[in-house]
Amino acid sequence: MEWSLYFFEKVSSTNDMARNYPIFSVVVAKEQTNGRGRYGRIWSGMPGNLYMSVVLPDFQEKSPLLAFVVGVAVADALKAFGVRLKWPNDVCLSKKKLSGILLEHLGNRIVAGIGVNVADAPTENILYPTISLKGVLTAEEVCKMILERLSVWLTLFKINGFEPIRSAWLTFAEGLNKEIEVRLPRESIRGRFIAITSLGAIDLELPDMTHRQIMAGDVFLMSKRK
Ligand code: BTN
Protein backbone atom coordinates (compact mmCIF):
# COMPACT_ATOMS: atom_id res chain seq x y z
CA MET A 1 0.00 0.00 0.00
CA GLU A 2 1.36 3.44 -0.95
CA TRP A 3 0.88 5.86 1.93
CA SER A 4 1.32 9.63 1.40
CA LEU A 5 2.58 11.20 4.61
CA TYR A 6 2.00 14.80 5.70
CA PHE A 7 3.86 16.08 8.77
CA PHE A 8 2.79 19.04 10.93
CA GLU A 9 4.30 20.66 14.01
CA LYS A 10 1.04 21.50 15.78
CA VAL A 11 -2.60 20.91 14.79
CA SER A 12 -5.88 20.99 16.68
CA SER A 13 -6.59 17.34 15.84
CA THR A 14 -4.99 15.18 13.15
CA ASN A 15 -8.46 13.66 12.56
CA ASP A 16 -9.73 17.14 11.58
CA MET A 17 -6.72 17.80 9.33
CA ALA A 18 -7.15 14.43 7.63
CA ARG A 19 -10.63 15.45 6.44
CA ASN A 20 -8.99 17.43 3.63
CA TYR A 21 -6.87 14.58 2.32
CA PRO A 22 -7.55 11.72 -0.10
CA ILE A 23 -7.59 7.99 0.64
CA PHE A 24 -4.26 6.51 1.79
CA SER A 25 -3.02 9.84 3.16
CA VAL A 26 -1.53 9.91 6.63
CA VAL A 27 -1.52 13.10 8.69
CA VAL A 28 1.05 13.14 11.50
CA ALA A 29 1.56 15.91 14.06
CA LYS A 30 4.10 16.49 16.80
CA GLU A 31 1.48 18.12 18.98
CA GLN A 32 -2.32 18.32 19.19
CA THR A 33 -4.11 21.16 20.93
CA ASN A 34 -7.62 19.74 20.73
CA GLY A 35 -7.20 15.99 20.30
CA ARG A 36 -10.25 13.87 20.97
CA GLY A 37 -10.91 10.30 21.93
CA ARG A 38 -13.95 8.04 21.88
CA TYR A 39 -17.21 9.56 23.20
CA GLY A 40 -15.75 13.08 22.74
CA ARG A 41 -13.22 12.57 25.52
CA ILE A 42 -10.03 14.64 25.54
CA TRP A 43 -6.91 13.01 24.10
CA SER A 44 -4.16 15.12 25.56
CA GLY A 45 -1.52 16.40 23.14
CA MET A 46 1.78 15.96 24.95
CA PRO A 47 4.74 16.57 22.62
CA GLY A 48 6.82 13.48 21.79
CA ASN A 49 3.82 11.19 21.54
CA LEU A 50 2.42 9.97 18.24
CA TYR A 51 -0.70 11.58 16.77
CA MET A 52 -1.58 10.19 13.37
CA SER A 53 -4.70 9.89 11.21
CA VAL A 54 -4.98 7.53 8.28
CA VAL A 55 -7.56 8.13 5.54
CA LEU A 56 -9.08 4.80 4.50
CA PRO A 57 -11.66 3.76 1.93
CA ASP A 58 -15.21 3.09 3.02
CA PHE A 59 -16.00 -0.63 3.41
CA GLN A 60 -19.76 0.03 3.63
CA GLU A 61 -21.37 -1.97 6.45
CA LYS A 62 -17.94 -3.47 7.28
CA SER A 63 -16.39 -0.03 7.96
CA PRO A 64 -16.83 -0.19 11.78
CA LEU A 65 -14.65 -3.32 11.70
CA LEU A 66 -11.75 -1.18 10.47
CA ALA A 67 -11.21 -0.22 14.12
CA PHE A 68 -10.22 -3.85 14.76
CA VAL A 69 -7.98 -3.91 11.66
CA VAL A 70 -6.17 -0.82 12.95
CA GLY A 71 -6.04 -2.24 16.50
CA VAL A 72 -4.45 -5.46 15.27
CA ALA A 73 -1.97 -3.48 13.13
CA VAL A 74 -0.89 -1.34 16.12
CA ALA A 75 -0.63 -4.39 18.40
CA ASP A 76 1.32 -6.28 15.73
CA ALA A 77 3.69 -3.33 15.23
CA LEU A 78 4.36 -3.14 18.99
CA LYS A 79 4.21 -6.86 19.80
CA ALA A 80 7.88 -6.92 20.92
CA PHE A 81 6.77 -4.86 23.95
CA GLY A 82 4.16 -7.49 24.90
CA VAL A 83 1.12 -5.31 24.18
CA ARG A 84 -2.47 -6.60 24.51
CA LEU A 85 -5.77 -5.40 23.05
CA LYS A 86 -8.64 -4.35 25.29
CA TRP A 87 -12.00 -4.39 23.53
CA PRO A 88 -12.87 -2.64 21.36
CA ASN A 89 -9.48 -1.25 20.39
CA ASP A 90 -7.31 0.04 23.22
CA VAL A 91 -3.72 -1.11 23.03
CA CYS A 92 -2.45 -1.86 26.54
CA LEU A 93 0.84 -2.64 28.17
CA SER A 94 0.97 -4.04 31.72
CA LYS A 95 -2.86 -3.54 31.85
CA LYS A 96 -2.45 0.21 31.23
CA LYS A 97 -3.49 2.14 28.14
CA LEU A 98 -0.69 2.80 25.66
CA SER A 99 -2.66 3.69 22.56
CA GLY A 100 -6.18 4.62 21.51
CA ILE A 101 -7.96 4.50 18.16
CA LEU A 102 -10.79 6.74 16.98
CA LEU A 103 -12.65 5.93 13.77
CA GLU A 104 -14.67 8.67 12.08
CA HIS A 105 -16.85 8.39 8.97
CA LEU A 106 -16.55 11.16 6.37
CA GLY A 107 -18.74 10.60 3.35
CA ASN A 108 -17.00 7.89 1.34
CA ARG A 109 -13.86 7.86 3.49
CA ILE A 110 -12.97 6.72 6.98
CA VAL A 111 -10.47 8.56 9.15
CA ALA A 112 -8.66 6.29 11.61
CA GLY A 113 -6.97 8.37 14.29
CA ILE A 114 -4.24 6.66 16.28
CA GLY A 115 -2.64 8.05 19.40
CA VAL A 116 0.35 6.29 20.98
CA ASN A 117 2.00 7.36 24.22
CA VAL A 118 5.50 7.06 22.84
CA ALA A 119 7.28 9.44 25.21
CA ASP A 120 4.89 10.22 28.07
CA ALA A 121 1.70 8.87 29.59
CA PRO A 122 -1.00 11.49 30.28
CA THR A 123 -2.20 11.70 33.85
CA GLU A 124 -5.10 14.17 33.45
CA ASN A 125 -8.60 13.48 32.09
CA ILE A 126 -8.04 9.75 32.00
CA LEU A 127 -10.61 7.02 32.50
CA TYR A 128 -8.08 4.21 32.63
CA PRO A 129 -4.45 4.02 33.91
CA THR A 130 -1.95 5.01 31.21
CA ILE A 131 1.57 3.99 30.26
CA SER A 132 4.15 5.06 27.65
CA LEU A 133 7.03 3.50 25.72
CA LYS A 134 9.26 5.93 27.68
CA GLY A 135 10.86 7.19 24.49
CA VAL A 136 12.65 3.96 23.52
CA LEU A 137 11.42 4.65 19.98
CA THR A 138 10.56 7.95 18.31
CA ALA A 139 7.04 8.84 17.21
CA GLU A 140 8.22 8.68 13.58
CA GLU A 141 9.58 5.15 14.04
CA VAL A 142 6.34 3.96 15.64
CA CYS A 143 4.35 5.59 12.82
CA LYS A 144 6.37 3.73 10.17
CA MET A 145 6.03 0.41 12.03
CA ILE A 146 2.25 0.86 12.28
CA LEU A 147 1.83 1.75 8.58
CA GLU A 148 3.86 -1.26 7.53
CA ARG A 149 1.63 -3.64 9.50
CA LEU A 150 -1.54 -1.75 8.55
CA SER A 151 -0.81 -2.40 4.85
CA VAL A 152 -0.66 -6.13 5.54
CA TRP A 153 -3.79 -6.34 7.75
CA LEU A 154 -5.83 -4.07 5.45
CA THR A 155 -5.02 -6.27 2.46
CA LEU A 156 -6.05 -9.36 4.42
CA PHE A 157 -9.29 -7.66 5.48
CA LYS A 158 -10.04 -6.66 1.87
CA ILE A 159 -9.41 -10.16 0.52
CA ASN A 160 -10.53 -12.47 3.35
CA GLY A 161 -12.91 -10.31 5.39
CA PHE A 162 -13.09 -10.01 9.19
CA GLU A 163 -12.28 -13.62 10.14
CA PRO A 164 -8.44 -13.40 10.04
CA ILE A 165 -8.64 -10.05 11.82
CA ARG A 166 -10.88 -11.46 14.54
CA SER A 167 -8.53 -14.45 15.11
CA ALA A 168 -5.49 -12.18 15.28
CA TRP A 169 -7.35 -9.78 17.59
CA LEU A 170 -8.16 -12.66 19.95
CA THR A 171 -4.48 -13.68 20.16
CA PHE A 172 -3.81 -10.21 21.62
CA ALA A 173 -7.02 -10.09 23.71
CA GLU A 174 -6.84 -8.88 27.30
CA GLY A 175 -9.31 -10.53 29.66
CA LEU A 176 -10.53 -13.34 27.39
CA ASN A 177 -12.40 -16.02 29.40
CA LYS A 178 -12.14 -13.82 32.48
CA GLU A 179 -14.67 -11.80 34.45
CA ILE A 180 -14.82 -8.24 33.14
CA GLU A 181 -17.06 -5.22 33.48
CA VAL A 182 -18.38 -3.31 30.48
CA ARG A 183 -19.49 0.23 31.32
CA LEU A 184 -22.22 1.71 29.16
CA PRO A 185 -23.61 5.24 29.57
CA ARG A 186 -26.48 4.04 31.84
CA GLU A 187 -25.41 0.67 33.19
CA SER A 188 -22.46 -1.57 33.94
CA ILE A 189 -22.54 -5.22 32.96
CA ARG A 190 -20.38 -7.90 34.51
CA GLY A 191 -19.74 -11.23 32.88
CA ARG A 192 -17.19 -13.59 31.39
CA PHE A 193 -15.61 -12.39 28.16
CA ILE A 194 -16.35 -15.28 25.77
CA ALA A 195 -15.80 -14.02 22.22
CA ILE A 196 -15.93 -11.24 19.65
CA THR A 197 -18.81 -11.65 17.21
CA SER A 198 -18.60 -11.27 13.42
CA LEU A 199 -19.88 -7.70 13.89
CA GLY A 200 -17.21 -6.85 16.44
CA ALA A 201 -19.52 -6.99 19.48
CA ILE A 202 -18.18 -8.37 22.75
CA ASP A 203 -19.99 -11.54 23.87
CA LEU A 204 -20.40 -11.81 27.64
CA GLU A 205 -21.66 -14.80 29.60
CA LEU A 206 -23.71 -13.38 32.46
CA PRO A 207 -23.94 -14.94 35.95
CA ASP A 208 -27.29 -16.56 34.96
CA MET A 209 -25.47 -18.22 32.00
CA THR A 210 -27.33 -16.18 29.38
CA HIS A 211 -25.27 -14.23 26.86
CA ARG A 212 -25.26 -10.54 26.10
CA GLN A 213 -23.59 -8.99 23.08
CA ILE A 214 -22.52 -5.39 23.40
CA MET A 215 -21.54 -3.15 20.47
CA ALA A 216 -19.96 -0.20 22.32
CA GLY A 217 -18.67 0.46 25.81
CA ASP A 218 -15.59 0.60 28.03
CA VAL A 219 -14.10 -2.60 29.38
CA PHE A 220 -12.64 -2.78 32.86
CA LEU A 221 -10.71 -5.83 33.95
CA MET A 222 -11.66 -7.17 37.37
CA SER A 223 -8.86 -7.40 39.89
CA LYS A 224 -8.20 -10.94 41.10
CA ARG A 225 -9.93 -12.00 44.31
CA LYS A 226 -7.59 -13.29 47.02
C1 BTN B 1 -9.58 6.72 22.49
O1 BTN B 1 -8.97 5.79 23.03
O2 BTN B 1 -10.50 7.31 23.07
C2 BTN B 1 -9.18 7.12 21.10
C3 BTN B 1 -8.05 8.12 21.09
C4 BTN B 1 -7.66 8.55 19.71
C5 BTN B 1 -6.63 9.65 19.75
C6 BTN B 1 -6.07 9.95 18.38
S1 BTN B 1 -4.62 10.97 18.44
C7 BTN B 1 -4.68 11.16 16.72
C8 BTN B 1 -6.14 11.33 16.33
N1 BTN B 1 -6.54 12.72 16.45
C9 BTN B 1 -7.45 12.90 17.41
O3 BTN B 1 -7.96 14.00 17.72
N2 BTN B 1 -7.75 11.73 18.00
C10 BTN B 1 -7.00 10.64 17.40
Side-chain angles (χ1 to χ4, degrees):
M1 215 151 281
E2 283 278 304
W3 302 109
S4 303
L5 277 85
Y6 301 90
F7 290 96
F8 295 90
E9 280 297 315
K10 202 191 254 192
V11 298
S12 63
S13 152
T14 55
N15 266 31
D16 288 339
M17 283 300 280
R19 288 172 171 261
N20 309 316
Y21 289 84
I23 284 165
F24 301 129
S25 301
V26 184
V27 172
V28 188
K30 282 196 180 153
E31 250 182 275
Q32 280 195 140
T33 52
N34 201 14
R36 58 179 175 273
R38 290 166 66 227
Y39 305 114
R41 291 174 188 137
I42 293 169
W43 186 269
S44 116
M46 302 162 91
N49 288 343
L50 173 64
Y51 309 100
M52 65 187 280
S53 295
V54 185
V55 187
L56 298 173
D58 187 4
F59 284 76
Q60 281 88 36
E61 73 286 352
K62 291 211 169 101
S63 288
L65 298 172
L66 280 171
F68 293 87
V69 180
V70 176
V72 166
V74 175
D76 192 13
L78 301 175
K79 66 170 181 268
F81 292 93
V83 296
R84 313 290 296 162
L85 284 166
K86 188 169 75 67
W87 183 86
N89 45 42
D90 285 349
V91 184
C92 294
L93 188 56
S94 310
K95 300 202 174 354
K96 295 176 180 163
K97 184 157 167 169
L98 175 70
S99 164
I101 294 158
L102 176 69
L103 220 68
E104 292 178 333
H105 217 123
L106 276 184
N108 62 346
R109 291 168 302 149
I110 306 289
V111 173
I114 306 165
V116 185
N117 300 330
V118 175
D120 275 309
T123 50
E124 279 170 23
N125 300 310
I126 52 166
L127 177 75
Y128 207 78
T130 55
I131 194 165
S132 81
L133 294 178
K134 298 194 176 76
V136 296
L137 294 170
T138 65
E140 217 169 301
E141 284 166 336
V142 176
C143 172
K144 276 193 195 141
M145 288 156 72
I146 291 174
L147 290 177
E148 196 194 299
R149 300 320 297 161
L150 186 56
S151 295
V152 174
W153 288 107
L154 258 182
T155 308
L156 256 176
F157 181 56
K158 218 163 104 182
I159 297 172
N160 298 325
F162 187 49
E163 215 31 60
I165 310 299
R166 178 166 60 168
S167 320
W169 196 99
L170 288 170
T171 66
F172 286 110
E174 186 81 272
L176 190 63
N177 288 316
K178 300 211 172 99
E179 288 297 309
I180 61 162
E181 180 173 294
V182 184
R183 292 190 197 158
L184 312 180
R186 280 186 200 82
E187 59 176 329
S188 286
I189 302 150
R190 284 191 187 190
R192 197 155 67 90
F193 173 12
I194 299 293
I196 298 291
T197 72
S198 58
L199 296 176
I202 191 165
D203 184 4
L204 290 188
E205 184 186 76
L206 306 184
D208 64 3
M209 299 315 247
T210 58
H211 283 241
R212 178 143 171 204
Q213 295 176 350
I214 302 161
M215 284 305 286
D218 289 300
V219 164
F220 288 81
L221 307 163
M222 313 299 294
S223 45
K224 280 187 199 128
R225 282 203 200 111
K226 297 217 174 101

